[in-house]
Amino acid sequence: MTQVSTQVTDHGGGVRSLRVPIPNNPLGYTLVYVVDTDSGPVLIDTGWDDPLSWDTLVEGLAACGTAVGEIHGMVITHHHPDHHGLSGQVREASGAWIAMHEADIALVRRTRDNRAERWFGYMTAKLAAAGAPADHVATLGRTPAGILPNFSPALPDREIVPGELLDLPGRRLRAIWTPGHTPGHVCLHLEEAHPAQLPGNGRLFSGDHLLPGITPHIGLYEDPEDTTAPDPLGDYLDSLERIGRLAPAEVLPAHRHAFPDATVRVQELLDHHDERLAGLRALLTTPLTPWQLAERMEWNRPWAEIPPGSRNIAVSEAEAHVRRLVKLGQAEAVTGSEPVTYVAV
């Protein structure tokens, strides 16, 4: 691994990463990967749609000896704006294709078609049903301009099919469906010998599925039209176990830094969620709404210091964990409660 500049790292074997900034976000940046192919460079994710992010991407590509106009394609691990945000601009500049899993393409299509009032109505009802106080629900009306629901992401023109090799001449990159963080999240397995001969099974572009030192957000999928009861945390844990069995030699994640020995990190995450579920079950000896549960959960700062938008994410994560407990038969909704409360069984 060689540091080419402050923004670019050469991982060897025709793979480099660019640190593309995420404005006003503690994550700091998205690692956008540039993969050489016989048809030209391909990007794995593109970064946040912001002028500074765009300039950084352009400068980073130049440091790699290429340019935006030479990009052949983009493989997007999932639809979130810090991964997919610049895809449209790259396509306009290069004519490159954009590939994504069908489940996240559906979310992109819905976001493009969504009206602001419908989104606000859905979120208002959802937060009220979770037991959020009226003063918090009122913060939705003060949402800053420029984020969802006014976000209009680029519509992908290729579908990533799990289990299949992507059409990248000269490379063996296989898609692995890893739902949980989003319903269509994919990891990408580079089925080639590690350039530094690290032991293991190739390299894995892990998106947000497997990160060093932090756990990805696992909340309920925000889809007003979905009348089913998906289990995102269950999906995530199953996906983690699949990646653990793959045992790649090195993980190339979308945030922080590359790291070896995926099996150790997988086990750490499985243990973390086991401990968290056990802690939540202990809290539910008293019936609690998802909001009340989120208030009592452990976060990276006290609840009083968490801003309204982040509280919405926290409540969604609490709901995903409660749903997992319900699926496991360890908790249930209290009949007739409104807003709904849950209790351990």
Side-chain angles (χ1 to χ4, degrees):
M1 186 185 302
T2 304
Q3 198 76 29
V4 178
S5 71
T6 55
Q7 288 87 26
V8 182
T9 301
D10 188 345
H11 298 273
V15 176
R16 287 142 299 191
S17 62
L18 315 179
R19 294 171 55 149
V20 177
I22 311 172
N24 304 313
N25 189 297
L27 282 173
Y29 54 86
T30 301
L31 290 172
V32 172
Y33 291 92
V34 185
V35 179
D36 293 338
T37 79
D38 291 347
S39 296
V42 167
L43 300 183
I44 296 178
D45 293 335
T46 57
W48 189 272
D49 184 3
D50 177 83
L52 174 61
S53 306
W54 173 256
D55 289 346
T56 304
L57 179 65
V58 171
E59 292 166 7
L61 289 171
C64 292
T66 188
V68 175
E70 296 175 354
I71 298 302
H72 174 62
M74 292 161 277
V75 183
I76 308 302
T77 60
H78 62 295
H79 74 92
H80 286 164
D82 56 323
H83 297 258
H84 181 45
L86 287 173
S87 302
Q89 282 184 253
V90 173
R91 181 164 60 189
E92 288 176 12
S94 64
W97 46 261
I98 303 172
M100 187 183 288
H101 187 280
E102 63 173 347
D104 273 23
I105 292 176
L107 293 179
V108 168
R109 187 174 289 112
R110 192 203 73 214
T111 300
R112 289 168 60 88
D113 294 342
N114 217 0
R115 298 186 309 276
E117 62 272 17
R118 184 168 183 267
W119 185 87
F120 282 122
Y122 166 72
M123 286 301 297
T124 296
K126 188 174 184 301
L127 285 167
D135 60 344
H136 174 81
V137 175
T139 65
L140 286 176
R142 300 193 294 272
T143 302
I147 68 167
L148 267 94
N150 297 319
F151 187 61
S152 184
L155 187 63
D157 41 64
R158 290 193 182 185
E159 182 183 316
I160 294 174
V161 179
E164 292 190 2
L165 288 171
L166 278 76
D167 183 18
L168 303 181
R171 308 307 299 245
R172 288 187 59 83
L173 190 66
R174 193 178 303 277
I176 304 172
W177 184 35
T178 50
H181 183 57
T182 71
H185 190 289
V186 293
C187 292
L188 301 154
H189 185 211
L190 192 58
E191 299 179 343
E192 301 169 9
H194 192 280
Q197 302 304 311
L198 293 182
N201 187 14
R203 291 186 281 182
L204 184 79
F205 299 100
S206 66
D208 280 358
H209 185 68
L210 199 60
L211 300 169
I214 52 176
T215 58
H217 165 66
I218 308 297
L220 297 188
Y221 304 138
E222 303 293 354
D223 187 349
E225 298 176 0
D226 189 355
T227 58
T228 66
D231 178 18
L233 182 54
D235 292 343
Y236 178 67
L237 297 175
D238 289 345
S239 299
L240 273 179
E241 291 180 347
R242 287 202 301 277
I243 294 302
R245 291 191 293 271
L246 183 65
E250 186 177 30
V251 177
L252 303 174
H255 303 288
R256 295 208 169 184
H257 55 79
F259 61 97
D261 204 349
T263 55
V264 170
R265 185 61 184 144
V266 164
Q267 193 57 53
E268 288 173 350
L269 289 166
L270 291 171
D271 291 345
H272 164 78
H273 284 289
D274 280 347
E275 292 168 8
R276 194 161 215 196
L277 287 168
L280 297 188
R281 191 163 182 262
L283 288 174
L284 290 175
T285 53
T286 300
L288 297 173
T289 65
W291 178 274
Q292 292 169 330
L293 188 59
E295 287 180 309
R296 291 159 173 78
M297 290 170 68
E298 184 177 336
W299 305 104
N300 60 1
R301 52 191 150 167
W303 184 256
E305 298 176 13
I306 299 177
S310 296
R311 288 187 179 188
N312 295 341
I313 294 171
V315 171
S316 182
E317 189 148 331
E319 289 181 299
H321 280 74
V322 168
R323 188 166 291 180
R324 176 91 287 249
L325 288 174
V326 171
K327 294 274 186 179
L328 293 171
Q330 297 178 8
E332 65 183 11
V334 176
T335 303
S337 59
E338 190 177 341
V340 63
T341 59
Y342 294 87
V343 66
V345 294

